[in-house]
């Protein structure tokens, strides 16, 4: 982080908050536009195919050129695109089909918890000593956020059983997809930072738009391969989407994918992955407000308590990080390959 001025870091923080506003509105738009008979795999595939050329154009306009990946980078983009973009989006949309947008945005805040844990495991961030007070804030924050996410999921499950509604009976199943989605996102942010932005010998370290564009390109290849199953099994009609779904797809391509993900990549180049992901709770307020205006949905009291636990836990993690920044600085391990 030291190679960027403070003003640029502040801009990156504001940019990440703007990204969360887009992410918060996206599930409501997708829930409103997506038809039940639309295949999540096909929708996600079209999203990545259409987003890739737009991102490459943005990379050329804002970064001056389009880089060509060597075989090593192609392999890295294949993993990042297949897991962090394609798999991540597919899990999210499948979860959205089984659950509502409020549940989606409430489980998303566990992304910084995953990111912090993975940062410790990969040694990209120093594991603090529990003898220091600030370490306890970090541990308590992780426990609070995880417990809050579990509370939200369990509350939805109990409410669905009480409602005895066939349409809502898979809410807990959708929650599992959201949890897996959040883990994929954390892995993607960390891989992007370790293997590209913090790598001393990487020619891609100053081209975040190129990095995200190629990640989407390989995600499109991955999902296109999965979609080949439909024509081979005689379900070619699933490759077509309705006009209503196409409107949601247009919003996702222009805003959720191109705008939000490019800004996210640029911010991850400047800030740490944990700090970038720490703003995910902003989605809760945005999605809850949009869901109330569009669908009239209201969260149960216990869900608000769970959401409060998640946010409190994340603020505790952020406080611990601020205390660490005020103390002696320890340089994280960088990938020099």
């Amino acid at each position: 982080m030291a190679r960027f001025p403070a003003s640029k870091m502040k801009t990156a923080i504001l940019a990440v908050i703007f990204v969360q506003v887009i992410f918060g509105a996206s599930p409501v738009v997708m829930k409103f536009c997506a038809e039940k008979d639309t295949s999540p795999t096909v929708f996600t595939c079209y999203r990545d195919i259409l987003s890739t050329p737009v991102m490459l154009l943005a990379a050329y306009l804002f970064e001056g050129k389009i880089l060509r990946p060597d075989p090593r980078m192609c392999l890295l983009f294949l993993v990042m695109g297949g897991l962090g973009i394609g798999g991540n989006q597919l899990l999210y949309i499948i979860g959205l089909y089984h659950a509502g947008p409020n549940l989606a945005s409430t489980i998303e805040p566990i992304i910084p918890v995953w990111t912090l844990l993975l940062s410790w495991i990969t040694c990209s961030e120093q594991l603090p000593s529990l003898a220091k007070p600030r370490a306890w804030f970090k541990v308590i924050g992780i426990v609070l956020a995880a417990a809050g996410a579990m509370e939200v999921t369990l509350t939805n499950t109990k409410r669905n059983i009480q409602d005895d509604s066939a349409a809502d009976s898979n809410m807990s199943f959708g929650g599992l997809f959201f949890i897996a989605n959040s883990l994929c996102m954390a892995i993607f942010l960390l891989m992007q930072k370790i293997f590209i932005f913090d790598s001393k010998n990487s020619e891609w370290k100053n081209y975040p738009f190129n990095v995200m564009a190629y990640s989407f390109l390989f995600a499109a290849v991955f999902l296109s391969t999965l979609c080949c199953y439909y024509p081979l099994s005689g379900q070619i009609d699933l490759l077509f989407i309705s006009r209503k779904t196409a409107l949601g797809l247009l919003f996702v391509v222009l805003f959720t994918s191109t705008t939000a993900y490019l800004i996210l990549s640029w911010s991850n180049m400047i800030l740490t992955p944990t700090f970038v992901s720490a703003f995910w709770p902003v989605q809760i307020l945005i999605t809850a407000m949009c869901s109330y205006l569009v669908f009239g949905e209201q969260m149960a009291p216990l869900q608000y308590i769970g959401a409060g636990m998640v946010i409190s836990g994340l603020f505790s993690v952020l406080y611990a990080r601020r205390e660490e920044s005020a103390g002696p600085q320890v340089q994280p391990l960088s990938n020099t390959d």
Side-chain angles (χ1 to χ4, degrees):
M1 295 175 60
R3 63 191 181 103
F4 296 102
S7 59
K8 202 165 188 176
M9 293 183 182
K10 292 179 181 178
T11 303
I13 293 173
L14 294 176
V16 170
I17 294 175
F18 176 68
V19 166
Q20 297 311 315
V21 173
I22 297 177
F23 283 166
S26 294
V28 179
V29 174
M30 293 167 63
K31 186 75 173 180
F32 180 78
C33 294
E35 303 285 354
K36 284 295 182 181
D37 57 349
T38 302
S39 167
T41 307
V42 172
F43 184 92
T44 309
C45 181
Y46 286 155
R47 168 183 178 173
D48 292 349
I49 290 175
L50 295 175
S51 298
T52 298
V54 181
M55 287 187 173
L56 288 172
L57 177 61
Y60 179 77
L61 293 177
F62 290 96
E63 296 177 346
K65 62 179 178 179
I66 298 177
L67 301 179
R68 295 182 180 180
D70 56 25
R72 176 182 175 276
M73 289 303 300
C74 285
L75 180 60
L76 179 60
F77 284 133
L78 179 62
V79 176
M80 291 174 58
L83 179 67
I85 300 296
N88 167 33
Q89 295 170 350
L90 184 60
L91 289 168
Y92 182 84
I93 293 178
I94 293 175
L96 195 63
Y97 271 67
H98 293 281
N102 280 342
L103 181 61
S105 63
T106 307
I107 293 182
E108 289 289 289
I110 67 174
I111 289 178
V113 178
W114 290 124
T115 308
L116 186 60
L117 289 174
L118 292 174
S119 297
W120 287 347
I121 294 173
T122 59
C123 298
S124 59
E125 290 192 20
Q126 185 183 27
L127 184 65
S129 170
L130 293 180
K132 300 179 180 179
R134 63 171 176 261
W136 287 104
F137 280 100
K138 187 171 291 186
V139 173
I140 291 172
I142 291 174
V143 173
L144 268 179
M150 291 176 60
E151 175 63 34
V152 172
T153 305
L154 292 175
T155 301
N156 270 286
T157 304
K158 293 177 182 178
R159 186 171 65 176
N160 293 334
I161 295 175
Q162 292 173 355
D163 289 345
D164 194 25
S165 171
D168 294 332
S169 62
N170 290 327
M171 182 74 77
S172 58
F173 185 62
L176 294 177
F177 280 99
F178 287 135
I179 292 174
N181 150 259
S182 65
L183 179 58
C184 287
M185 190 66 203
I187 293 174
F188 174 77
L189 290 174
L190 205 60
M191 288 184 65
Q192 194 183 61
K193 190 70 172 180
I194 293 175
F195 294 108
I196 298 178
F197 297 140
D198 276 355
S199 178
K200 295 180 180 179
N201 300 325
S202 175
E203 65 171 326
W204 297 75
K205 62 189 300 183
N206 295 317
Y207 296 93
F209 285 12
N210 271 274
V211 171
M212 190 60 74
Y214 277 101
S215 297
F216 265 76
L217 174 61
F218 281 86
V221 173
F222 167 73
L223 290 168
S224 297
T225 304
L226 294 181
C227 288
C228 290
Y229 165 79
Y230 294 116
L232 292 176
S233 61
Q235 304 179 67
I236 193 171
D237 55 313
L238 291 178
L239 297 178
F240 300 95
I241 61 176
S242 66
R243 181 177 300 180
K244 184 179 179 182
T245 303
L247 292 176
L249 180 63
L250 180 63
F251 175 88
V252 168
V253 168
L254 295 179
F255 296 99
T256 311
S257 290
T258 303
T259 303
Y261 273 88
L262 288 181
I263 293 176
L264 196 66
S265 183
W266 177 80
S267 301
N268 198 31
M269 177 184 68
I270 297 172
L271 306 170
T272 65
T274 307
F275 200 78
V276 169
S277 62
F279 291 91
W280 246 261
V282 175
Q283 290 186 36
I284 296 177
L285 300 178
I286 303 300
T287 304
M289 183 167 34
C290 292
S291 296
Y292 175 77
L293 294 175
V294 178
F295 302 116
E297 294 183 4
Q298 294 185 353
M299 296 176 65
L302 286 178
Q303 287 182 284
Y304 283 109
I305 295 175
M309 292 170 62
V310 172
I311 295 175
S312 300
L314 296 177
F315 273 117
S316 180
V317 172
L318 286 176
Y319 175 77
R321 286 184 56 80
R322 189 186 69 175
E323 291 296 307
E324 290 174 357
S325 300
Q329 297 296 313
V330 178
Q331 293 295 330
L333 298 180
S334 299
N335 180 52
T336 57
D337 293 338

